Amino acid sequence: MSLCLTIFFAIIFFYCRPSYVSSQPYDYPTTNLSTSWINSVSANHSINFSDNSTVRAILLRGTFGPRYACGFYCNGNCETYLFAIFIVQTNSGGGIVMPSSGFPQVVWSANRENPVGINATLELTSEGDLVLRDADGTLAWSTNTSGMSVVGLNLTEMGNLVLFDAKNSTVWQSFDHPTDALVPGQILVSGQNLTASVSPTNWTQGGLFSLSMISNGLVASIQADPPQAYYVNLYNNVKQNQESSYARFQNGSIQLYINSTEPSDPDISISIPQATSAQYIKLGHDGHLRVLEWRTPWTEVVDIFTGHLGECNYPMVCGKYGICSNGQCSCPRSSSGAINFRQINDRQPDLGCSEAIHLTCNASGNHSFLNLEDVTYFNFKVDIRGTNLNSCQEACLKNCSCKAAIFQYGSNSSDGNCYMPSQIFSIMNNEKDKTHYNSSVSIKVQIASSVTSPSVETSPGSTTEGNNRFLGLVLGSTLGIFCVAVVIGLTYFTYWKKKKSVTVEEDYLDHVPGMPTRFSYEELVTATDNFSKKLGEGGFGTVFEGSLKDNTKIAVKCLDGMGHIKKSFLAEVESIGSIHHVNLVRLIGFSAEKSHRLLVYEYMSNGSLDRWIHNKTQVSALDWNCRRKIILDIAKGLSYLHEDCRQKIIHLDIKPQNILLDENYNAKLADFGLAKLIDRDQSQVVTVMRGTPGYLAPEWLSAVITEKVDVYSFGVVILEILCGRKIFEQSMLEEDRHLLSIFKRKAMEGQLLDLVDKCCEDMQSNGTRVVEMMQIAAWCLQSYYVNRPSMSMVVKVIEGVKHVAKDLDYNFTNPQYCMNNIQLVDSKDVTPLLPSVLSGPR
Ligand SMILES: *[C@@H]1O[C@H](CO)[C@@H](O)[C@H](O)[C@H]1NC(C)=O
Ligand SMILES: *[C@@H]1O[C@H](CO)[C@@H](O)[C@H](O)[C@H]1NC(C)=O
Ligand SMILES: *[C@@H]1O[C@H](CO)[C@@H](O)[C@H](O)[C@H]1NC(C)=O
Ligand SMILES: *[C@@H]1O[C@H](CO)[C@@H](O)[C@H](O)[C@H]1NC(C)=O
Ligand SMILES: *[C@@H]1O[C@H](CO)[C@@H](O)[C@H](O)[C@H]1NC(C)=O
Ligand SMILES: *[C@@H]1O[C@H](CO)[C@@H](O)[C@H](O)[C@H]1NC(C)=O
Ligand SMILES: *[C@@H]1O[C@H](CO)[C@@H](O)[C@H](O)[C@H]1NC(C)=O
Ligand SMILES: *[C@@H]1O[C@H](CO)[C@@H](O)[C@H](O)[C@H]1NC(C)=O
Ligand SMILES: *[C@@H]1O[C@H](CO)[C@@H](O)[C@H](O)[C@H]1NC(C)=O
Ligand SMILES: *[C@@H]1O[C@H](CO)[C@@H](O)[C@H](O)[C@H]1NC(C)=O
Ligand SMILES: *[C@@H]1O[C@H](CO)[C@@H](O)[C@H](O)[C@H]1NC(C)=O
Ligand SMILES: *[C@@H]1O[C@H](CO)[C@@H](O)[C@H](O)[C@H]1NC(C)=O
């Protein structure tokens, strides 16, 4: 028996040997008055850990396992120390052990603001004051309990450091002064809060985040004036002034008692995984509230807010002014291309963005807005109720401390709410909540103050095009440096773009990473035999046939001779170059020399789809299966652009001319020049009407432009393919000119079969399936864009995995109205309503 015991202890001893420090056989949880401890290297119970932290334990309670101790603590370079309570591993003798990963976990500290150095002294004075002094005698911290009948200091089982009197009642306790952590059993009473440290090694509570227990619940907020909350868990319908409310952290939950007290049920219970070992909660320097548990090693068992919030809802997730989208950070960009914000550190996007020109109060005339659509902010406080975007921005311009006009509305954009925060932290994509409300953030930016032009001193709302003027203003801010006259007018705008595009763009293009081949102009002259074989003329220039040295056939699109080429060219090169999909025409290369801009595409031997469906003899060659396949191909290409690309791309000009067929009649989408690149985190409003009459969705005339405009155009294309005719045929009888009018009429009459292309027998014999496909078209053509399916849904329906929505509305928006409107503005294909950076070559 005794042999067994000897072996047992030998094993224990062996196991603990490398880190067995204490010579004392027992724990040491209490102390009497007139005791002092020095933070010296030779102190008892001093141990260095492999994470470069050191503890010098003063009191320690319990043996064998994760236990609470208090004493001096440091980490990193150990130039400064805390007097802290920490959790350490102990052996049966009350010695602190050093398992490979059981670093001390600090759960409370006395002097975060005033760390002390080596040789500092902690003393429990004969008067009962617990005092921490640095080596030179300066006071770092004290409990101020002199003369309060303290007789001793006790580190309790729960990790509470208590000064008690002769009656064993508590005079002072660390639980009343929480820092950034809570231990099981600890309560946070109304008015108390946890404050995060600046960083894991900088304990200063200059940390931005705090978690406060208030009268009716828990609120986590970031320091600002006033603080901005990012997590709230409140109990409503409560009696006034619940001063006695509190939160208790216990095994399995955080329980909030607001209108009730224990032992009744808590008013709110935030559940957390039940403890299998020591646990504590810590408010991190990043604002996360984590539950950590000793599972050899310490493991995060749950991130309490993230369950409610999502990764992007943290105020500093992307730093100040950073935009968070799916955890990725970027800086606000104006659709004009003006640089208002720069990344603080290119390698660390999460550090946030800095303003190009610092916002100053005294020149409020020089402010404008960078408007970001479909983004939201973690906090929203209604400063103005029932207003519109213009008034919200106007109010913000007038208020010096307002840093952004945050506007949210439900269905009616003139009845929204406005929030004007005095500080801006991270902004986030509104994808998740878009179904609930619309939200935009207009960031106030400074315009270079050296040049003031009358047009800059605006009174927003005085014109009906407030937004566009703001866009102009934003542009002005960078233009101002170059042009003496800061200009809103289109003339200067265009001039600038022309001027810049030559120099800036070429430099830029040399550095485009992962780009397709860059050809010299000469090479392409040779490849196209001096541009002798014209394939066609698109909206962006002429396309020529050519072949490379290895005999690969190519299509070369010349964008030469165009005015403001820069943006569309870059957009094409950047977007298409990085996008590869079997249903998208591949960009093989490009050339950019002086004024020449050329794009080299894969060659599509069967040309564009319009040649087939608008030509009675050719179209009959396409049987039902072929047409179905073409429709499916287009749907897949679009679905990829909308949903699977790194950046969402809206094509904006889906029509048969932009759908090309290869030798096997595989359809591919071409011409992304019109595509408005939309960062998922920063969808911006398209400010110019784009596309081709007949294919334009009704919302072009009014509402928000989303990828659903492509779905609409796609619906038109389906009909054209199935019916074998153009959307609009001048040569026909008035009532039959517009395909949509007939479609509506035939649908009402239940005679859709009449519409099936009569040129092709195979189409007729597949009539029922063609009519089914027409229903998909009808779904895509729904007037209200929200009711249209996503392209991925369309793919599923064509593939037969899903069904077309019921109750389709065949009362398509009056196409005549649409046509008239567009003709009113411009009779050409494309209808620029406003000056815009999007303007491609015409
Ligand atoms: C504190 O004082 C009491 C009585 O004076 C004594 O019994 C006890 O051992 C002392 N405790 C310590 C830790 O010195
Ligand atoms: C270490 O503990 C022993 C026993 O309690 C004590 O005599 C000694 O003074 C302590 N050493 C230091 C440096 O505090
Ligand atoms: C612990 O580290 C300190 C320096 O931080 C060093 O002076 C001391 O000797 C180390 N102690 C042990 C036991 O390794
Ligand atoms: C500990 O300190 C050493 C020397 O300064 C350093 O090389 C090492 O990376 C540090 N370890 C940790 C975990 O910080
Ligand atoms: C701490 O005190 C010891 C003993 O008095 C002394 O030798 C040492 O230099 C002091 N260290 C510091 C950093 O003051
Ligand atoms: C103790 O009193 C001093 C001076 O009155 C004060 O600065 C300090 O904050 C007090 N400390 C505590 C822990 O209340
Ligand atoms: C110290 O705290 C423990 C609880 O952990 C308690 O049982 C004990 O009575 C306290 N000791 C004194 C002297 O108050
Ligand atoms: C205070 O607590 C200690 C330790 O638990 C116990 O021995 C002592 O009797 C208590 N004193 C009073 C007055 O309750
Ligand atoms: C947190 O508590 C401290 C001290 O009680 C107080 O100064 C601070 O204002 C509080 N912070 C918040 C956000 O309530
Ligand atoms: C700790 O953070 C504070 C507040 O941000 C800063 O002023 C201080 O310089 C930092 N200290 C160290 C050692 O980095
Ligand atoms: C609050 O408590 C009172 C009595 O304690 C009770 O009558 C009332 O219903 C409670 N209110 C809510 C909202 O639970
Ligand atoms: C927490 O509660 C569970 C279930 O009651 C229990 O199994 C577990 O041991 C408890 N953990 C602690 C640390 O008390």
Side-chain angles (χ1 to χ4, degrees):
M1 183 64 193
S2 65
L3 181 69
C4 274
L5 272 181
T6 315
I7 293 172
F8 178 72
F9 283 114
I11 290 171
I12 298 264
F13 182 75
F14 183 76
Y15 176 73
C16 303
R17 196 178 45 146
S19 38
Y20 188 91
V21 226
S22 175
S23 57
Q24 286 182 335
Y26 305 110
D27 59 353
Y28 37 101
T30 60
T31 192
N32 288 342
L33 297 186
S34 307
T35 318
S36 68
W37 303 264
I38 295 175
N39 181 28
S40 79
V41 183
S42 59
N44 285 328
H45 318 300
S46 172
I47 180 163
N48 295 349
F49 290 85
S50 57
D51 70 338
N52 292 346
S53 63
T54 297
V55 300
R56 303 207 169 100
I58 289 170
L59 302 179
L60 184 147
R61 180 172 286 276
T63 53
F64 230 11
R67 295 292 169 188
Y68 292 109
C70 74
F72 294 103
Y73 170 90
C74 71
N75 69 9
N77 59 19
C78 280
E79 276 164 6
T80 56
Y81 291 78
L82 293 176
F83 170 56
I85 299 175
F86 33 81
I87 309 177
V88 287
Q89 278 290 98
T90 55
N91 60 24
S92 59
I96 298 169
V97 298
M98 190 182 117
S100 58
S101 48
F103 309 128
Q105 307 286 309
V106 175
V107 295
W108 178 83
S109 60
N111 58 322
R112 286 202 285 175
E113 296 302 331
N114 286 320
V116 293
I118 202 90
N119 287 351
T121 317
L122 181 77
E123 184 183 8
L124 179 55
T125 64
S126 54
E127 284 84 41
D129 198 5
L130 187 63
V131 188
L132 179 66
R133 286 180 196 282
D134 222 331
D136 62 3
T138 50
L139 178 71
W141 174 82
S142 149
T143 55
N144 294 344
T145 46
S146 289
M148 292 170 81
S149 321
V150 170
V151 300
L153 180 63
N154 184 14
L155 179 63
T156 73
E157 202 70 51
M158 285 205 301
N160 189 12
L161 189 66
V162 178
L163 285 169
F164 59 92
D165 62 15
K167 293 183 193 135
N168 281 354
S169 48
T170 299
V171 174
W172 179 96
Q173 58 179 344
S174 62
F175 274 12
D176 287 342
H177 306 269
T179 52
D180 60 355
L182 286 177
V183 296
Q186 187 168 356
I187 65 171
L188 199 60
V189 304
S190 175
Q192 287 184 340
N193 61 44
L194 302 184
T195 312
S197 292
V198 170
S199 79
T201 48
N202 186 344
W203 307 303
T204 312
Q205 60 175 334
L208 288 165
F209 300 98
S210 62
L211 175 71
S212 311
M213 183 67 199
I214 59 170
S215 59
N216 57 340
L218 266 184
V219 177
S221 47
I222 184 162
Q223 217 175 66
D225 186 24
Q228 296 174 12
Y230 61 99
Y231 169 89
V232 283
N233 200 335
L234 301 182
Y235 182 67
N236 296 319
N237 320 319
V238 85
K239 286 185 294 185
Q240 293 284 307
N241 297 325
Q242 290 296 310
E243 272 148 23
S244 55
S245 64
Y246 61 94
R248 177 190 292 279
F249 170 36
Q250 58 188 41
N251 186 358
S253 63
I254 300 173
Q255 307 202 316
L256 308 192
Y257 293 90
I258 290 156
N259 190 35
S260 59
T261 46
E262 286 166 287
S264 73
D265 283 341
D267 298 308
I268 297 175
S269 180
I270 303 166
S271 64
I272 52 182
Q274 279 181 336
T276 56
S277 174
Q279 253 191 3
Y280 72 100
I281 291 179
K282 182 162 184 146
L283 182 66
H285 65 101
D286 52 4
H288 288 245
L289 187 68
R290 300 183 173 92
V291 179
L292 294 133
E293 184 171 306
W294 171 244
R295 289 183 178 173
T296 335
W298 283 93
T299 308
E300 175 188 325
V301 290
V302 70
D303 187 329
I304 296 176
F305 299 157
T306 302
H308 298 250
L309 296 181
E311 57 191 345
C312 281
N313 286 58
Y314 290 90
M316 284 297 273
V317 59
C318 284
K320 289 183 183 169
Y321 290 109
I323 300 172
C324 178
S325 177
N326 298 321
Q328 303 285 313
C329 299
S330 60
C331 288
R333 259 179 295 156
S334 93
S335 54
S336 67
I339 307 294
N340 300 103
F341 290 94
R342 289 202 180 79
Q343 232 152 47
I344 287 171
N345 181 334
D346 287 342
R347 303 220 171 136
Q348 280 177 277
D350 57 338
L351 289 184
C353 311
S354 60
E355 304 150 290
I357 308 173
H358 192 67
L359 199 58
T360 51
C361 250
N362 47 17
S364 62
N366 296 341
H367 293 159
S368 77
F369 289 103
L370 194 170
N371 193 39
L372 304 172
E373 290 290 332
D374 284 338
V375 295
T376 185
Y377 195 62
F378 60 87
N379 175 270
F380 194 88
K381 182 174 146 277
V382 181
D383 285 328
I384 310 172
R385 198 176 291 280
T387 187
N388 61 24
L389 177 60
N390 263 355
S391 315
C392 180
Q393 290 176 331
E394 188 175 357
C396 181
L397 272 192
K398 284 183 185 152
N399 181 346
C400 171
S401 71
C402 172
K403 294 292 188 298
I406 301 179
F407 183 65
Q408 293 188 348
Y409 65 96
S411 48
N412 180 355
S413 68
S414 58
D415 184 20
N417 293 329
C418 179
Y419 172 40
M420 304 189 287
S422 59
Q423 243 176 305
I424 287 289
F425 302 100
S426 300
I427 297 161
M428 67 185 148
N429 191 314
N430 189 30
E431 235 160 53
K432 209 170 111 194
D433 284 328
K434 209 171 165 180
T435 44
H436 306 307
Y437 63 90
N438 297 292
S439 168
S440 68
V441 174
S442 304
I443 306 175
K444 196 192 267 183
V445 293
Q446 186 84 23
I447 300 171
S449 56
S450 53
V451 233
T452 335
S453 91
S455 50
V456 164
E457 288 156 10
T458 54
S459 52
S462 58
T463 79
T464 49
E465 293 174 353
N467 263 341
N468 315 317
R469 200 196 42 256
F470 285 127
L471 175 71
L473 292 181
V474 171
L475 270 175
S477 65
T478 30
L479 280 173
I481 299 158
F482 295 91
C483 315
V484 174
V486 174
V487 179
I488 303 296
L490 183 59
T491 341
Y492 285 97
F493 179 62
T494 322
Y495 165 77
W496 175 73
K497 284 173 56 124
K498 255 191 204 160
K499 224 184 135 177
K500 297 280 291 178
S501 64
V502 178
T503 51
V504 176
E505 178 193 338
E506 281 184 356
D507 292 349
Y508 173 67
L509 281 174
D510 282 332
H511 302 118
V512 177
M515 278 301 301
T517 319
R518 181 171 192 162
F519 296 96
S520 72
Y521 182 64
E522 297 312 318
E523 278 176 286
L524 294 183
V525 168
T526 314
T528 56
D529 204 0
N530 202 13
F531 303 107
S532 55
K533 196 164 174 201
K534 192 162 149 184
L535 285 173
E537 222 155 330
F540 289 88
T542 319
V543 184
F544 297 93
E545 189 181 320
S547 56
L548 295 176
K549 289 200 191 86
D550 62 358
N551 286 330
T552 317
K553 279 189 118 182
I554 52 171
V556 178
K557 179 177 285 185
C558 289
L559 306 169
D560 287 24
M562 303 301 177
H564 33 268
I565 251 162
K566 179 191 175 193
K567 206 68 186 185
S568 74
F569 186 72
L570 286 185
E572 287 220 36
V573 170
E574 264 186 81
S575 64
I576 309 174
S578 64
I579 292 166
H580 302 280
H581 186 272
V582 64
N583 298 118
L584 299 174
V585 175
R586 196 162 64 86
L587 181 73
I588 297 172
F590 69 102
S591 173
E593 278 176 23
K594 298 191 181 70
S595 62
H596 301 299
R597 300 286 184 275
L598 302 106
L599 296 175
V600 181
Y601 290 100
E602 65 177 313
Y603 181 78
M604 301 287 285
S605 58
N606 271 317
S608 59
L609 183 62
D610 62 313
R611 296 226 312 258
W612 296 84
I613 56 176
H614 297 170
N615 180 320
K616 287 287 169 243
T617 52
Q618 275 192 323
V619 73
S620 47
L622 302 179
D623 64 12
W624 157 246
N625 273 329
C626 184
R627 293 190 207 199
R628 179 185 169 276
K629 171 75 167 27
I630 289 171
I631 293 171
L632 182 58
D633 283 347
I634 307 168
K636 284 179 175 169
L638 267 181
S639 166
Y640 183 78
L641 288 180
H642 290 177
E643 292 160 50
D644 299 327
C645 270
R646 192 169 51 83
Q647 287 181 302
K648 173 185 287 205
I649 291 173
I650 306 183
H651 189 291
L652 296 183
D653 199 12
I654 293 294
K655 56 181 176 182
Q657 289 83 347
N658 285 333
I659 295 158
L660 304 182
L661 302 174
D662 71 5
E663 67 274 20
N664 300 317
Y665 295 94
N666 293 312
K668 303 188 184 204
L669 292 174
D671 234 347
F672 296 82
L674 279 176
K676 174 77 180 86
L677 276 176
I678 295 195
D679 281 7
R680 280 185 193 276
D681 50 15
Q682 195 186 348
S683 6
Q684 291 152 335
V685 170
V686 177
T687 48
V688 165
M689 186 181 259
R690 292 265 146 211
T692 307
Y695 301 89
L696 287 174
E699 65 263 28
W700 275 110
L701 297 171
S702 53
V704 191
I705 300 308
T706 67
E707 70 271 21
K708 294 292 180 69
V709 300
D710 285 350
V711 178
Y712 182 93
S713 310
F714 171 72
V716 176
V717 172
I718 302 185
L719 275 193
E720 290 189 311
I721 295 173
L722 300 178
C723 305
R725 59 156 285 187
K726 288 190 216 171
I727 181 73
F728 192 72
E729 295 220 42
Q730 201 70 44
S731 62
M732 290 191 156
L733 290 174
E734 172 91 44
E735 66 202 38
D736 288 341
R737 275 185 198 153
H738 206 286
L739 183 53
L740 284 193
S741 309
I742 319 173
F743 185 40
K744 171 182 169 184
R745 199 171 70 227
K746 295 289 182 188
M748 301 293 178
E749 295 166 1
Q751 299 292 327
L752 283 176
L753 270 176
D754 290 357
L755 281 176
V756 180
D757 193 349
K758 296 185 180 61
C759 297
C760 175
E761 236 170 70
D762 182 65
M763 287 294 285
Q764 289 293 324
S765 58
N766 281 293
T768 25
R769 301 175 69 192
V770 177
V771 169
E772 277 167 28
M773 188 70 90
M774 283 179 185
Q775 277 159 5
I776 301 181
W779 194 8
C780 294
L781 290 167
Q782 294 299 293
S783 302
Y784 183 39
Y785 69 92
V786 172
N787 292 342
R788 290 171 214 150
S790 68
M791 285 314 298
S792 58
M793 173 58 85
V794 171
V795 171
K796 284 180 191 136
V797 175
I798 299 175
E799 286 175 338
V801 218
K802 296 261 177 177
H803 297 287
V804 174
K806 294 197 168 56
D807 304 325
L808 290 182
D809 178 10
Y810 280 82
N811 198 6
F812 309 114
T813 298
N814 189 340
Q816 202 56 50
Y817 166 73
C818 222
M819 298 295 291
N820 283 344
N821 250 284
I822 284 155
Q823 275 158 5
L824 256 177
V825 187
D826 191 322
S827 58
K828 284 205 223 100
D829 264 8
V830 181
T831 314
L833 294 176
L834 308 158
S836 159
V837 291
L838 276 180
S839 319
R842 302 278 125 245

